[in-house]
């Protein structure tokens, strides 16, 4: 979390809830036993910085992590699962190379283990961030 003060925490949390609200609702209940709507709008609301810290610590198998990666097809695809798929591919490739080297016929190359499609990300520029948060970009440094 940045040093942007309380306002930065609220803006960041609002943006996350706008994009991934359903996933965050499910994950807060599943992993923390917290009703997110109660934490936001209840009689004793939780500080946005605390909620952001909890979002940052959600595990790889969370619905939020899957949504950030590209959608529900990414559920269950943790770092370990990706590494295991790579090992399966490497073993298949090694077996194919060995079989091809010892055969007179052409052997079909093995298919890669199916993975969810990767999401194409565009780099974010400072100008785009300033525009998103309504800052004046009339040249020079943005000051508070």
């Amino acid at each position: 979390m940045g040093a942007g003060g309380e306002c930065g925490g609220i803006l960041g949390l609002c943006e996350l809830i706008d994009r991934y609200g359903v996933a965050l609702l499910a994950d807060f209940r599943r992993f923390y036993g917290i009703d997110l709507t109660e934490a936001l709008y209840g009689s004793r609301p939780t500080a946005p910085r605390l909620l952001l810290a909890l979002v940052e610590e959600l595990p790889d198998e969370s619905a939020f992590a899957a949504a950030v990666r590209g959608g529900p097809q990414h559920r269950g695809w943790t770092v370990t699962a990706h590494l295991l798929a790579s090992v399966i591919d490497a073993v298949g490739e090694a077996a194919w190379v060995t079989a091809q080297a010892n055969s007179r016929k052409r052997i079909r190359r093995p298919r890669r283990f199916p993975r969810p499609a990767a999401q194409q990300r565009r780099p974010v520029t400072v100008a785009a961030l300033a525009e998103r948060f309504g800052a004046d970009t009339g040249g020079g440094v943005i000051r508070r």
Side-chain angles (χ1 to χ4, degrees):
M1 291 185 280
E6 192 68 19
C7 185
I10 291 172
L11 286 177
L13 186 61
C14 287
E15 185 174 335
L16 285 175
I17 290 172
D18 283 346
R19 285 187 180 176
Y20 311 109
V22 174
L24 287 171
L25 281 170
D27 286 340
F28 267 69
R29 183 153 296 175
R30 176 181 174 199
F31 293 107
Y32 303 127
I34 296 173
D35 181 2
L36 187 57
T37 54
E38 182 67 27
L40 290 168
Y41 307 112
S43 59
R44 295 177 57 197
T46 306
R49 283 186 175 198
L50 176 61
L51 295 175
L52 273 174
L54 292 173
V55 169
E56 288 176 2
E57 295 304 318
L58 284 169
D60 279 345
E61 64 268 9
S62 68
F64 172 72
V68 168
R69 287 187 206 114
Q73 69 271 19
H74 291 270
R75 285 197 181 142
W77 279 93
T78 62
V79 172
T80 305
H82 280 284
L83 289 172
L84 186 57
S86 295
V87 168
I88 291 169
D89 289 342
V91 169
E93 240 355 81
W96 174 75
V97 166
T98 303
Q100 187 66 53
N102 294 311
S103 176
R104 291 184 180 175
K105 296 190 301 183
R106 179 150 171 80
I107 299 174
R108 196 166 40 108
R109 186 178 219 131
R111 292 185 182 176
R112 287 179 41 105
F113 191 85
R115 295 167 175 82
Q119 181 181 16
Q120 295 292 328
R121 293 186 180 176
R122 291 179 295 152
V124 177
T125 63
V126 174
L129 288 173
E131 183 180 325
R132 182 187 306 169
F133 293 108
D136 179 22
T137 58
V141 178
I142 300 173
R143 300 184 190 271
R144 291 183 193 218

